[in-house]
Amino acid sequence: MINENLKTLCNLIGRVAGREIKTSKDFEYLSQKIFEKTNMLVSVSTLKRIFGYVNNVGVARENTLDILCQFVGYKDWGTFVANGDDATRIESNPLMATRLDAMDMYEDERITVLWKPNRRCVFRCLGDCHFVVEESVNSKLSAGDTFVCGLFIEDEPLYLEDLVMGGKENLTYVCGRIDGIRFIKENSSIV
């Protein structure tokens, strides 16, 4: 049973960290994030063994499992295992994903937002967290729609408030409800 619980924990760790954990750089990132949140160190090599990235030399120590469970919001490994199927539900947790505060954007700056399946929109900042849709591909949004949005977070849903769309006002719209969004800020690469 430990293998299934450990697999569930590894999947949850990736969600909390805000990225898939599959490369050496991902494990370095994860080790740093765990330390920042718990003030306890889990080495990169230990993480690689736990995630099955390298040959497993043995079962992880319970102390290490406790630290990983604290990272995802549980008291310890025993509490995580006791939660069974509910262990994958995250009710609250700090977001570690890349984010962009709309207040940091300049007027006329653009951001491209992508979400499944095949959706892409280009938003132009009007200032003070207000945006206009400049381009829309495979989305219900249309060029000229306007909205308010304060924060863009990778792999999280994007909520557009006070949307004016097709002659209707004060709508709320969500992009990427299930898998979240990705974004590209003008003159940058995917964040």
Side-chain angles (χ1 to χ4, degrees), residues 69-123:
C69 289
Q70 290 168 19
F71 176 72
V72 299
Y74 286 87
K75 178 182 175 194
D76 55 29
W77 174 249
T79 305
F80 179 81
V81 171
N83 277 283
D85 290 338
D86 286 339
T88 57
R89 290 182 44 197
I90 303 172
E91 294 296 333
S92 58
N93 210 20
L95 293 171
M96 307 247 178
T98 302
R99 57 179 258 162
L100 172 66
D101 189 329
M103 289 301 288
D104 294 336
M105 292 184 69
Y106 298 104
E107 192 172 322
D108 291 327
E109 196 170 8
R110 287 165 181 77
I111 183 169
T112 300
V113 176
L114 312 155
W115 69 98
K116 292 181 182 178
N118 269 4
R119 309 233 190 308
R120 182 175 64 80
C121 286
V122 177
F123 304 141

Side-chain angles (χ1 to χ4, degrees):
M1 190 62 170
I2 189 167
N3 288 339
E4 196 57 40
N5 287 327
L6 195 54
K7 182 178 175 182
T8 300
L9 178 60
C10 289
N11 289 335
L12 190 55
I13 287 168
R15 286 177 45 204
V16 170
R19 68 181 351 168
E20 284 187 71
I21 308 300
K22 54 186 181 179
T23 68
S24 287
K25 288 232 180 258
D26 293 332
F27 287 104
E28 292 169 17
Y29 169 86
L30 180 58
S31 179
Q32 180 63 34
K33 290 300 176 186
I34 291 169
F35 182 76
E36 288 172 9
K37 185 172 179 185
T38 67
N39 208 25
M40 292 180 261
L41 182 63
V42 178
S43 73
V44 170
S45 60
T46 297
L47 291 171
K48 286 179 177 181
R49 276 196 328 268
I50 289 171
F51 276 75
Y53 184 76
V54 295
N55 290 336
N56 194 352
V57 180
V59 177
R61 294 183 182 156
E62 190 162 337
N63 182 49
T64 302
L65 296 173
D66 288 344
I67 293 168
L68 296 176
C69 289
Q70 290 168 19
F71 176 72
V72 299
Y74 286 87
K75 178 182 175 194
D76 55 29
W77 174 249
T79 305
F80 179 81
V81 171
N83 277 283
D85 290 338
D86 286 339
T88 57
R89 290 182 44 197
I90 303 172
E91 294 296 333
S92 58
N93 210 20
L95 293 171
M96 307 247 178
T98 302
R99 57 179 258 162
L100 172 66
D101 189 329
M103 289 301 288
D104 294 336
M105 292 184 69
Y106 298 104
E107 192 172 322
D108 291 327
E109 196 170 8
R110 287 165 181 77
I111 183 169
T112 300
V113 176
L114 312 155
W115 69 98
K116 292 181 182 178
N118 269 4
R119 309 233 190 308
R120 182 175 64 80
C121 286
V122 177
F123 304 141
R124 181 171 49 88
C125 183
L126 301 173
D128 197 28
C129 298
H130 287 76
F131 293 86
V132 62
V133 177
E134 286 200 333
E135 185 180 327
S136 177
V137 177
N138 299 321
S139 167
K140 293 178 183 173
L141 297 170
S142 299
D145 293 347
T146 60
F147 62 91
V148 175
C149 180
L151 192 60
F152 298 85
I153 305 173
E154 291 276 318
D155 301 318
E156 294 293 330
L158 177 67
Y159 294 94
L160 312 180
E161 299 291 330
D162 296 328
L163 175 65
V164 177
M165 176 171 133
K168 297 181 181 173
E169 297 183 8
N170 296 337
L171 301 172
T172 300
Y173 187 87
V174 62
C175 305
R177 181 187 307 261
I178 296 172
D179 292 315
I181 63 152
R182 305 282 295 167
F183 63 83
I184 305 167
K185 192 174 169 193
E186 186 176 82
N187 299 325
S188 68
S189 57
I190 288 188
V191 213

